[in-house]
């Protein structure tokens, strides 16, 4: 918050300032010199009264409103783990800061997740990949005040592990051709 110094005229200086009623936004305070400063902790509209007194016990009050806008909505997840074809995939829930929760997640318009995966509105990517490769896509997050943000991610899906599936071989006969 840009520090703001309140001003008064009349009376007999020096002046002493204080909060009279209501509440300044969380994280902001008023000094006895009339400076409102700090780092707001929450968004919203905050109405409060301040009082000023002079050296002769004169006093006055005034009402003020400060509107604190939310920080910009930003996706804070920076990467996603890889997956394997045919193996269950669950990524850590995508994360964002700023805006006004709750957040709603989706695949950005025109983008697609790797085949077999989906994203929940809570931001969890899960499923079972069905194709290997490196897949780049965009996700979008929206907040309750129509704020939005997008970010690109890549998931590398490895092929399924090489496994011998034959479990036994047929018997053979001495001197006879063998095929299995």
């Amino acid at each position: 918050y840009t520090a703001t110094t309140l001003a008064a005229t009349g009376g007999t200086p020096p002046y002493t300032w204080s909060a009279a009623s209501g509440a300044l936004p969380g994280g902001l305070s008023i000094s006895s010199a009339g400076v409102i400063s700090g780092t707001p902790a929450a968004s919203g509209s905050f109405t409060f009264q301040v009082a000023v007194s002079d050296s002769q016990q004169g006093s006055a009050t005034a009402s003020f409103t400060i509107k604190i806008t939310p920080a910009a909505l930003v996706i804070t997840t920076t990467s996603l783990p890889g997956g394997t074809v045919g193996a269950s995939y669950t990524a850590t829930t995508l994360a964002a800061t700023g805006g006004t929760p709750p957040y709603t997640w989706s695949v950005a318009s025109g983008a697609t997740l790797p085949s077999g995966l989906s994203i929940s509105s809570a931001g969890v990517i899960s499923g079972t990949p069905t194709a290997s490769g490196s897949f780049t896509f965009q996700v979008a997050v929206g907040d309750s005040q129509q704020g939005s943000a997008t970010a690109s991610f890549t998931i590398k899906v490895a092929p399924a592990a090489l496994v011998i599936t034959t479990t036994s071989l047929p018997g053979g006969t001495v001197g006879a051709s063998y095929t299995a």
Side-chain angles (χ1 to χ4, degrees):
Y1 182 76
T2 303
T4 301
T5 303
L6 300 174
T9 60
T12 306
Y15 302 124
T16 303
W17 295 85
S18 62
S21 67
L24 274 77
L28 297 186
S29 61
I30 183 170
S31 73
S32 61
V35 177
I36 297 175
S37 62
T39 302
S43 61
S45 184
F46 301 87
T47 300
F48 54 93
Q49 280 195 330
V50 296
V52 63
S53 58
D54 68 5
S55 62
Q56 301 299 314
Q57 282 69 44
S59 66
T61 61
S63 183
F64 294 96
T65 299
I66 296 177
K67 181 175 180 177
I68 305 295
T69 57
L73 182 58
V74 176
I75 296 173
T76 57
T77 303
T78 58
S79 64
L80 295 173
T84 302
V85 170
S88 181
Y89 180 92
T90 300
T92 304
T93 302
L94 297 172
T97 60
T100 305
Y103 303 135
T104 302
W105 295 85
S106 63
V107 175
S109 178
T112 58
L113 290 169
S115 178
L117 299 184
S118 63
I119 185 171
S120 73
S121 63
V124 177
I125 297 174
S126 62
T128 302
T130 60
S132 62
S134 182
F135 302 90
T136 300
F137 55 92
Q138 278 196 324
V139 296
V141 63
D143 70 3
S144 64
Q145 299 299 311
Q146 287 72 49
S148 65
T150 59
S152 290
F153 292 98
T154 298
I155 295 178
K156 293 181 180 179
V157 179
L162 181 60
V163 176
I164 297 173
T165 58
T166 303
T167 58
S168 64
L169 296 173
T173 303
V174 173
S177 177
Y178 182 86
T179 304

